[in-house]
Amino acid sequence: MEVHHRLALTLVLALGALALLAPGAARADYPLAEVTNNTPYSVSGKVKYASAFCKDDAYSVPAGGTWRARSRGVCLITGITGSIGQGARFGESTSVVPYDSTGTSYSQFQINAYGGQYRIFSKQEYARVSRTGQGKSPGFYLVNKTDWPVAYSLEQVGCLYHDIVPKRWDGKDGVRRIDTGAVWFTLRVHIQPNGINPQSDWDCIEPVAELVGDVLFAAMSGGAGAAMAGPNVVAKRVAKAAIQKAIKATVKGLAKKMKDRVGEYLKETGTVTMAGQYAGYEWPFQCDKMPEYHITGGPELVKDENGDVYVQPGPAFTVTKVNDCGNDMMRLSPKRLAARTDVAFPEVTDAHAGSGRDEPRPIAGGGGGPGGRVTLRSFHGKYVVAEADGKANANRDQAREWEHWQLIRNGNGTVSLKGFHGKYLVAEPDGRANADRPVAREWEQWRMVDNGDGTFSFKSHHGKWLVAEADGRLNANRDNKATWERFVVTTR
């Protein structure tokens, strides 16, 4: 019987289409079909029409994108299929439940996570099935248990949600609830000492080390940052013995370089980025509670009996998902992630006090101008070498000929490094570092940064830092510079 109904519907539609195509007939074309992809994968499939006069459309739409048909006419849509052409990135099922209809004039469709799977809906259908009224809209629940204001962002193609989670105050945790709908996000959390949200709808920015250092010292010394963060900027009282290696905000004439180093430290030890976080389920599949994330640890603010404020290392800055809402859609996604703890804590020396200006300093050993031959020794005690096959490594115990580089200062403030074999050190877009370029163009130019501790770091044209891995590989793929991204540069 169902087959007969479909045949009859197809015949009626075909006759109607012929009538509309007749001379003088008025056409009332349906809107073009659109498919919006709200999954983290590329999806491809077919849009099926209920008339022999409309050819089925094949579509392919990237994550976060919208596909639009080129033509439609008066044809009704009977179904839309979809498939994800790659394995599950987060451990969830990647099968797609198709859209099915006896024939609809609807034009806007979307692919959403629904329950524990992906499914294709018309816009109207999804509005009905996702209507809640239960006060349990999918989203995120962030709990800040630290003594710092924390900036968060929920990112897809752009910065969709962003704000500040207040710090722990008077024994009570800072809390933010964000209603998002059941979709995927990258969750970024970082310490923001002045409590001011630095992000915009267009830009989920990473904290800037120089600014973080400035606002941190302003907050510690009672400046504007302290007012923004609230008067309780001190975490606890400690004895002097416990802060011998801490940094005091009131160091007289503290140089800007030192502030930048402390900002870099706070940035690297106070930032967590967790990809593949799922906001939970829409009604009626919702969990009893939202996915909940607790923020703990990080560098500590302390004071002595005189009331002077210090910053010192603390437990790892960590974001932990504490319930299982949505976990079956993110089996491979991180549920707990901590910031780096292998970052050397800055130490104040006489060189860091003075006028507050950064004075130029020569490369270790003197010289280093055009034509200067240098060696680069990594944090692991190994020398950077230009191999004969064009590779670059950081695995040599001694500095011989292949471990020497000609350091050339470029007119734009960058440097280039030419290996023993006459080829330049290059940062590839995929994060590899090689020594196989005959000419120094943009990718062969590096911004050489004096770390103020006898080491230098090298930032590539792509914005990544040169790093010596523990296994001897040399890469240019680090977002931040810590210990492995620092090199002793010696002129020979």
Side-chain angles (χ1 to χ4, degrees):
M1 182 66 68
E2 177 65 23
V3 174
H4 293 157
H5 281 301
R6 286 185 176 271
L7 288 173
L9 175 64
T10 301
L11 180 59
V12 169
L13 292 171
L15 292 173
L18 283 172
L20 288 174
L21 290 173
R27 284 176 56 116
D29 291 354
Y30 295 124
L32 297 176
E34 293 182 358
V35 179
T36 298
N37 182 7
N38 293 324
T39 82
Y41 306 100
S42 294
V43 178
S44 58
K46 283 190 176 182
V47 178
K48 300 179 180 180
Y49 297 99
S51 171
F53 296 94
C54 291
K55 183 180 179 182
D56 292 347
D57 283 320
Y59 74 89
S60 180
V61 58
T66 297
W67 169 87
R68 193 165 189 258
R70 294 184 177 180
S71 62
R72 178 174 177 180
V74 295
C75 297
L76 299 178
I77 293 174
T78 60
I80 302 177
T81 64
S83 64
I84 293 172
Q86 59 196 76
R89 189 187 314 165
F90 308 120
E92 80 280 22
S93 169
T94 55
S95 61
V96 179
V97 178
Y99 175 82
D100 188 40
S101 171
T102 56
T104 182
S105 60
Y106 290 156
S107 61
Q108 294 180 308
F109 300 86
Q110 50 191 281
I111 311 168
N112 294 318
Y114 188 72
Q117 60 192 348
Y118 296 109
R119 182 170 172 177
I120 303 175
F121 297 88
S122 68
K123 179 181 177 181
Q124 292 79 358
E125 181 184 14
Y126 188 71
R128 291 194 300 271
V129 301
S130 61
R131 188 178 300 120
T132 168
Q134 304 295 313
K136 298 179 182 177
S137 175
F140 289 81
Y141 192 75
L142 305 180
V143 179
N144 185 5
K145 295 178 173 291
T146 78
D147 295 304
W148 301 94
V150 168
Y152 75 85
S153 61
L154 298 172
E155 309 170 18
Q156 288 180 338
V157 177
C159 198
L160 298 188
Y161 302 88
H162 53 88
D163 204 349
I164 293 289
V165 187
K167 66 179 183 177
R168 184 175 175 82
W169 181 268
D170 196 23
K172 297 180 181 179
D173 298 331
V175 172
R176 277 286 182 269
R177 168 183 167 147
I178 311 104
D179 298 318
T180 63
V183 289
W184 295 95
F185 291 100
T186 291
L187 171 64
R188 189 202 302 276
V189 175
H190 69 255
I191 291 172
Q192 186 67 22
N194 62 357
I196 300 174
N197 181 21
Q199 297 160 140
S200 71
D201 292 347
W202 302 102
D203 191 7
C204 289
I205 64 169
E206 294 185 11
V208 179
E210 292 82 356
L211 299 180
V212 169
D214 284 339
V215 299
L216 170 63
F217 278 100
M220 290 171 62
S221 58
M228 294 295 180
N232 185 25
V233 298
V234 177
K236 54 190 174 185
R237 296 182 70 91
V238 297
K240 284 185 177 180
I243 56 175
Q244 289 178 345
K245 292 186 177 180
I247 295 174
K248 187 176 179 181
T250 55
V251 174
K252 185 177 180 180
L254 195 68
K256 181 180 182 299
K257 183 176 295 182
M258 186 60 191
K259 292 183 181 180
D260 291 352
R261 287 186 58 205
V262 177
E264 192 76 48
Y265 176 81
L266 192 66
K267 171 185 169 182
E268 293 174 356
T269 60
T271 302
V272 169
T273 302
M274 301 173 71
Q277 303 305 301
Y278 184 61
Y281 301 131
E282 55 284 282
W283 183 258
F285 299 101
Q286 289 167 320
C287 311
D288 291 335
K289 296 181 179 179
M290 283 184 171
E292 184 171 329
Y293 294 78
H294 287 188
I295 307 163
T296 57
E300 296 178 336
L301 283 174
V302 299
K303 69 178 178 180
D304 62 15
E305 62 272 22
N306 297 321
D308 288 333
V309 184
Y310 298 78
V311 62
Q312 69 175 16
F317 183 73
T318 305
V319 179
T320 305
K321 188 172 186 290
V322 298
N323 62 4
D324 60 2
C325 182
N327 279 3
D328 60 340
M329 286 292 281
M330 47 181 286
R331 292 186 180 93
L332 300 181
S333 303
K335 313 299 189 301
R336 182 179 187 274
L337 203 61
R340 296 181 64 170
T341 57
D342 62 341
V343 183
F345 187 74
E347 294 184 3
V348 178
T349 66
D350 292 340
H352 296 131
S355 65
R357 297 190 301 269
D358 284 325
E359 300 296 335
R361 56 182 292 172
I363 295 174
R373 295 179 69 230
V374 300
T375 60
L376 282 69
R377 183 162 54 88
S378 75
F379 170 80
H380 310 289
K382 304 291 186 178
Y383 288 93
V384 176
V385 58
E387 308 285 7
D389 62 359
K391 304 294 185 185
N393 290 308
N395 60 2
R396 291 300 198 273
D397 293 322
Q398 297 180 19
R400 296 188 175 93
E401 289 183 330
W402 291 12
E403 293 74 40
H404 284 80
W405 301 79
Q406 183 180 357
L407 187 143
I408 300 171
R409 295 188 183 277
N410 303 310
N412 58 3
T414 65
V415 301
S416 296
L417 292 163
K418 191 174 186 180
F420 172 80
H421 307 287
K423 300 301 176 71
Y424 288 91
L425 184 68
V426 58
E428 307 286 6
D430 63 3
R432 292 177 298 118
N434 289 315
D436 61 355
R437 291 301 197 275
V439 179
R441 296 189 175 92
E442 289 182 332
W443 293 5
E444 295 77 35
Q445 297 180 6
W446 304 80
R447 183 164 67 87
M448 187 174 178
V449 177
D450 186 344
N451 295 315
D453 59 359
T455 68
F456 293 81
S457 296
F458 296 84
K459 193 172 190 179
S460 76
H461 171 74
H462 310 291
K464 304 293 185 177
W465 295 95
L466 187 70
V467 58
E469 310 286 5
D471 61 3
R473 289 177 298 120
L474 189 70
N475 287 315
N477 60 3
R478 290 301 196 273
D479 293 324
N480 303 308
K481 63 180 175 71
T483 51
W484 292 11
E485 295 78 29
R486 298 179 183 229
F487 298 84
V488 176
V489 182
T490 305
T491 301
R492 299 294 182 181

